[in-house]
Amino acid sequence: MPPPPAARAGASTSGPGGGRAPTPRSLADDLRGRPEASLVALLRGRPDLSVPVPADTGALAVRASTRHSVQRAVDARSRGELDVLAAVVVLAARGGGSATTADVAAACGLPQTRTREVLGRLRDLGLLWGTATEHHPVAVLGDALGAQPAGLGPSLADLLDTSAPVRPRAGALGRLLQVPAAEGVDGVLARLADPPALAALLEDAPEGTRDLLARLDAGGPLGQVARARREVDVDREGGDGTDGAPTPLDWSLARALLVPVADDRVVLPRELGLALRDGRVHREPVALDPPPLPSRPVPAARRDGLASGAAAEAVRLVDALGRALGERSAPVLRAGGLGVRELGRLSTELEVDTGTAALVVELAAAAGLVAQDGEADAAWAPTPRYDDWAEGSTGERWAALAATWLALPRLPSLVGGRDDRGSAVAALSDAAARPQAPMVRSLLLTAVMTVADGEGVATGDLAERLAWLRPRWAPARDTRLLEALVGEASWLGVLASGALGAAGRALLTDDAGALSLPEEDDEGARRRAAAAAVLDAALPEPVSEVLLQADLTAVAPGPLERDVEMELSLAADVDSRGGATVYRFDGGTVRRALDAGRTADDVLAFLARVSATPVPQPLEYLVRDVARRHGRVRVGSAGAYLRSDDEAVLTELLAERRAAGLGLRRLAPTVLVATADPSEVLRVVRGLGLAPAAEAADGGLVLDRPVVRRTPPRRAPQRVPGQTPPSEQVARSVVAALRAGDEAVAAAPPSPSGAPLVPPADPALSLAELRRAADERRPLWVGYVDTAGGPRRVHALPLGVDGGRISVRDLTSGEDRVLSVHRVTGTAPG
């Protein structure tokens, strides 16, 4: 039902300054008259529009009207918003290209207040343009929604244009419908589009006709029959081309209430579908809010305990990865990424499965803590940023990792699987990239935040909610993707038992209480600091003391201070983790500390300093005994040689069958030489229970201090442009550039021939005007954007529009040119 004429041409709307501004004639006019806040909302709601930055508002309108961009925006709408858009498209097709707020509300069965709110959001997103009460869909919106908006079929006019069996019989249709012959086809279309006339017509329909039409309306406008009678003789006596009582199908076909589109298919015209729905576009009132999300109680103490424990463990694993790669970097695959063997080594060192190791590696790389070192034989190693990160508290380190994960355009769960070509997906490779992952994470966490505090949500229920929020977007309906992201969030401590932990909620909540991703600005820094403070308060304070026990173990009653933990790990191995961490000493761990340059006195002094109790005698004996034997046998380069003041030890080695592969031979009572290299000799002799030390050429000990590898300074990976919303600061700078471009266009001097200004216009309108001008052989001024992004205009005679190109004859130079449709900004009379 079209809006009243008073709401159409000649109407005006309030301008930015509160005065009356002319009704916009196009999306470009609309955008040009919007305040800064509205344009910022547009750019943040549709990230692809700002990459690269458009030259001016006209270029922004062109980009916002392209099929690809509109399709992306439509796919990001909820079910309720899609239903409202479908109503606007249907009503605009009947009402001269626009629909009023009141008509949309009636067509959707909604209150006008809620309808106005939704239409305002859709207008902010550039899918609609116009005024506060009259709304025009962008030209390609109908195509983006599909051929059957709201489950309605094509309009009767379109069907009659394409249905050969019906149009030639317009006169007979007119007699059946009691349309004066002078009105012809237009009269038939008007009668069938009039709800009261259709209702009166159906009063005389054969029994079963309403059921037939209602079934088609409920199941989709296209129906399959045994054979659609494409040749219905409506001129025979009885009027229905049947012998005896007409069937509902024949009766409907004769009156174009159903139109054949194939031998066995019929379609229900849009006008009749609307009549069957009592004039509403949708059969049922549109639901703008999703159905309630089922939840279950999750005690806050349990939730936050699980979340903080997982967060601390995630930080520990990333820190351990940095140390492991600092001691032994991992080579970069020729095709990029981290090899399966190296990932397996890291998973063993971190004591986790390969899936968790892949997540740790991906997260560390995305945070800029690990990168390629840039050498000829490239390797993955920690960056200087890792050292800065490691100095922070557990909460500060976690907040940085969590913010990185939220914007991570990758899916670590793909690592180890197969890509589309059947190749294995390696960690840190391009095959694990999924630009849509941050948006799915945002939707997931948004859904979790809708339940009350103290409630958790099951993954299956989250899948249903995401399917409502993004019914047209495939990633939101990917159950495997959702399960993977829930697993990541739980591992990182953002979620626990299907609920947001306290630190995660602090990170994701802005000053207004709304959920959003933290950005690289002052507001994002404040939220990260708040989340860090929440987590640090929930975790026990790091301790600097351990409990040494007579069974050669040390118990850390809480997380150790980092320098204490690093030094203790040099002399002992972790035996078990939990509420307390148990470290175990043995000959090998003590020798490791001695190889790193510590003496027995150094080790015992450190243990005495960090122990709450005296050093147990068995532990002191172990350290002294290993130190006494350490270095009694020296291994140097020959191949290799061994020397010892204890001739008996060397004699035992010569007789030892397990050392036969070393090729030992005595040169002197205290010297042996070997054919194996020194590292192999050290490995075998240590395996025999001795404690050999490596010797330098000058006779001094070669200390086995860990080599700390670092890459040159590296920038952290940036967010994918056009995939994630720009920050408000970036969006404001883009708006400023658009305004400057508009001023440059307005200030552009006229051409010597007195060329008029070519105001930017809706691309669809410009294209239609170019087609008309080509048909009429009429010249135009054409505005376009050149390859450098600058505005240009040409006085031209359009010759034709074919696909995405416009052929014109430049009337100034006389040359034929070809313009790309997406570069045309508008037209003016020529």
Side-chain angles (χ1 to χ4, degrees):
M1 56 193 73
R8 297 207 176 265
S12 61
T13 184
S14 297
R20 305 296 288 177
T23 301
R25 300 175 303 152
S26 65
L27 177 61
D29 276 354
D30 189 326
L31 295 180
R32 201 173 295 109
R34 291 188 186 186
E36 180 188 45
S38 178
L39 291 177
V40 167
L42 170 63
L43 296 173
R44 295 188 55 137
R46 295 174 63 177
D48 59 300
L49 297 184
S50 58
V51 181
V53 177
D56 52 32
T57 309
L60 175 65
V62 172
R63 189 176 298 171
S65 302
T66 60
R67 188 182 302 272
H68 176 70
S69 181
V70 171
Q71 189 69 64
R72 286 185 59 173
V74 166
D75 289 347
R77 306 278 61 81
S78 69
R79 185 167 297 160
E81 291 171 326
L82 290 172
D83 287 345
V84 172
L85 284 173
V88 173
V89 168
V90 171
L91 294 175
R94 302 179 61 203
S98 66
T100 66
T101 302
D103 286 345
V104 175
C108 295
L110 292 171
Q112 287 202 37
T113 303
R114 294 296 309 276
T115 306
R116 191 177 299 113
E117 292 174 359
V118 178
L119 290 171
R121 289 201 303 269
L122 297 173
R123 181 169 175 253
D124 284 344
L125 289 168
L127 296 174
L128 305 175
W129 60 271
T131 68
T133 58
E134 186 177 0
H135 313 280
H136 298 257
V138 293
V140 297
L141 181 58
D143 293 338
L145 289 172
Q148 300 174 1
L152 294 168
S155 70
L156 189 58
D158 292 339
L159 287 171
L160 294 186
D161 281 340
T162 58
S163 180
V166 177
R167 171 146 313 252
R169 294 169 174 76
L173 277 173
R175 289 194 297 275
L176 276 176
L177 301 174
Q178 299 179 353
V179 175
E183 296 184 15
V185 175
D186 291 338
V188 171
L189 295 176
R191 179 62 57 90
L192 291 174
D194 181 37
L198 278 173
L201 182 62
L202 290 173
E203 290 294 330
D204 300 327
E207 184 178 355
T209 302
R210 284 182 175 273
D211 290 340
L212 170 66
L213 300 177
R215 286 199 305 272
L216 273 175
D217 181 49
L222 192 65
Q224 185 168 6
V225 295
R227 182 176 180 85
R229 296 185 60 190
R230 297 177 64 84
E231 298 294 338
V232 180
D233 186 357
V234 297
D235 289 320
R236 288 186 54 182
E237 186 175 354
D240 292 300
T242 60
D243 296 326
T247 65
L249 175 61
D250 286 339
W251 189 90
S252 301
L253 287 168
R255 289 159 177 78
L257 301 183
L258 292 177
V259 178
V261 292
D263 286 343
D264 60 347
R265 292 184 183 274
V266 295
V267 68
L268 184 72
R270 179 173 297 179
E271 291 80 359
L272 185 56
L274 290 171
L276 293 171
R277 302 176 185 184
D278 297 326
R280 291 196 300 269
V281 173
H282 299 280
R283 284 181 291 274
E284 300 292 337
V286 171
L288 295 179
D289 299 314
L293 189 60
S295 60
R296 63 181 186 278
V298 177
R302 178 174 179 271
R303 174 200 68 198
D304 293 339
L306 290 173
S308 59
E313 177 65 5
V315 170
R316 185 192 71 79
L317 288 174
V318 173
D319 193 7
L321 174 73
R323 293 188 210 171
L325 291 177
E327 295 176 4
R328 180 182 169 187
S329 58
V332 177
L333 292 176
R334 186 162 38 186
L338 182 69
V340 174
R341 182 178 300 176
E342 289 298 321
L343 183 63
R345 172 180 71 85
L346 291 173
S347 70
T348 300
E349 294 188 21
L350 299 180
E351 299 179 343
V352 296
D353 57 75
T354 54
T356 302
L359 178 54
V360 173
V361 169
E362 291 278 1
L363 190 58
L369 309 180
V370 169
Q372 297 185 26
D373 59 10
E375 299 294 332
D377 294 327
W380 296 101
T383 65
R385 182 189 295 266
Y386 163 76
D387 297 308
D388 297 334
W389 173 83
E391 294 299 320
S393 68
T394 300
E396 291 169 342
R397 290 183 283 169
W398 177 83
L401 294 178
T404 297
W405 173 77
L406 290 169
L408 180 65
R410 302 177 62 79
L411 196 57
S413 62
L414 296 175
V415 174
R418 297 283 173 178
D419 61 16
D420 295 338
R421 297 173 298 178
S423 302
V425 177
L428 303 178
S429 68
D430 292 341
R434 289 295 182 274
Q436 65 271 29
M439 182 59 70
V440 183
R441 290 189 185 98
S442 179
L443 289 172
L444 163 70
L445 297 175
T446 300
V448 172
M449 284 196 71
T450 60
V451 301
D453 193 20
E455 299 286 320
V457 187
T459 303
D461 295 325
L462 284 173
E464 293 183 8
R465 171 58 64 88
L466 263 63
W468 192 95
L469 291 173
R470 296 293 184 271
R472 295 172 59 97
W473 195 40
R477 304 191 306 272
D478 188 337
T479 305
R480 292 180 58 189
L481 171 61
L482 180 61
E483 290 175 348
L485 294 181
V486 170
E488 292 175 9
S490 300
W491 172 83
L492 189 56
V494 176
L495 292 181
S497 298
L500 271 177
R505 190 173 292 270
L507 180 66
L508 294 167
T509 308
D510 61 19
D511 291 332
L515 179 139
S516 62
L517 301 182
E519 298 170 353
E520 296 296 331
D521 56 12
D522 293 341
E523 166 67 9
R526 183 199 64 75
R527 287 158 64 176
R528 287 191 292 272
V534 169
L535 181 59
D536 284 334
L539 292 172
E541 285 287 334
V543 298
S544 59
E545 290 188 340
V546 297
L547 302 175
L548 295 177
Q549 302 187 110
D551 62 351
L552 302 181
T553 60
V555 178
L560 288 172
E561 293 178 354
R562 190 166 186 270
D563 57 344
V564 173
E565 190 267 335
M566 291 180 66
E567 188 69 17
L568 183 60
S569 296
L570 195 61
D573 288 334
V574 174
D575 193 53
S576 64
R577 299 186 188 275
T581 303
V582 178
Y583 293 82
R584 182 167 297 279
F585 300 87
D586 60 30
T589 63
V590 173
R591 190 196 68 244
R592 183 173 64 210
L594 298 176
D595 286 343
R598 310 299 191 270
T599 65
D601 290 338
D602 293 336
V603 173
L604 293 173
F606 165 74
L607 294 176
R609 178 167 56 84
V610 301
S611 177
T613 58
V615 177
Q617 194 174 57
L619 179 56
E620 182 176 0
Y621 283 170
L622 173 67
V623 173
R624 296 289 185 192
D625 182 59
V626 172
R628 178 179 56 80
R629 293 184 291 111
H630 185 258
R632 288 176 60 189
V633 175
R634 303 291 184 92
V635 178
S637 298
Y641 66 83
L642 298 86
R643 69 178 182 85
S644 174
D645 294 335
D646 190 338
E647 298 180 20
V649 172
L650 297 183
T651 301
E652 291 176 8
L653 279 176
L654 282 172
E656 177 60 59
R657 183 176 302 174
R658 289 174 292 174
L662 299 180
L664 297 177
R665 181 165 55 89
R666 190 187 292 270
L667 291 184
T670 58
V671 179
L672 301 180
V673 293
T675 57
D677 60 58
S679 61
E680 177 65 10
V681 173
L682 285 169
R683 185 187 68 80
V684 172
V685 175
R686 284 170 178 168
L688 297 176
L690 299 176
E695 185 174 71
D698 61 0
L701 287 178
V702 176
L703 300 179
D704 189 18
R705 291 191 176 96
V707 178
V708 180
R709 294 178 175 83
R710 292 293 182 269
T711 70
R714 294 278 190 266
R715 290 184 61 188
Q718 302 299 302
R719 295 184 179 181
V720 180
Q723 295 288 347
T724 55
S727 67
E728 185 165 342
Q729 182 178 359
V730 170
R732 289 185 184 279
S733 66
V734 173
V735 172
L738 293 173
R739 300 295 196 209
D742 290 342
E743 293 174 1
V745 171
S751 67
S753 60
L757 290 175
V758 181
D762 189 292
L765 298 178
S766 299
L767 197 57
E769 179 64 15
L770 285 164
R771 285 197 175 102
R772 285 195 296 268
D775 292 339
E776 300 168 4
R777 305 294 292 174
R778 172 168 48 88
L780 288 174
W781 284 97
V782 182
Y784 65 97
V785 178
D786 64 17
T787 55
R792 294 288 184 270
R793 54 196 164 190
V794 59
H795 193 213
L797 176 66
L799 301 177
V801 180
D802 183 17
R805 297 183 177 277
I806 305 167
S807 300
V808 300
R809 177 162 297 150
D810 190 331
L811 297 180
T812 302
S813 65
E815 297 178 351
D816 289 349
R817 300 175 57 184
V818 176
L819 302 176
S820 296
V821 168
H822 70 275
R823 293 190 180 276
V824 173
T825 60
T827 62

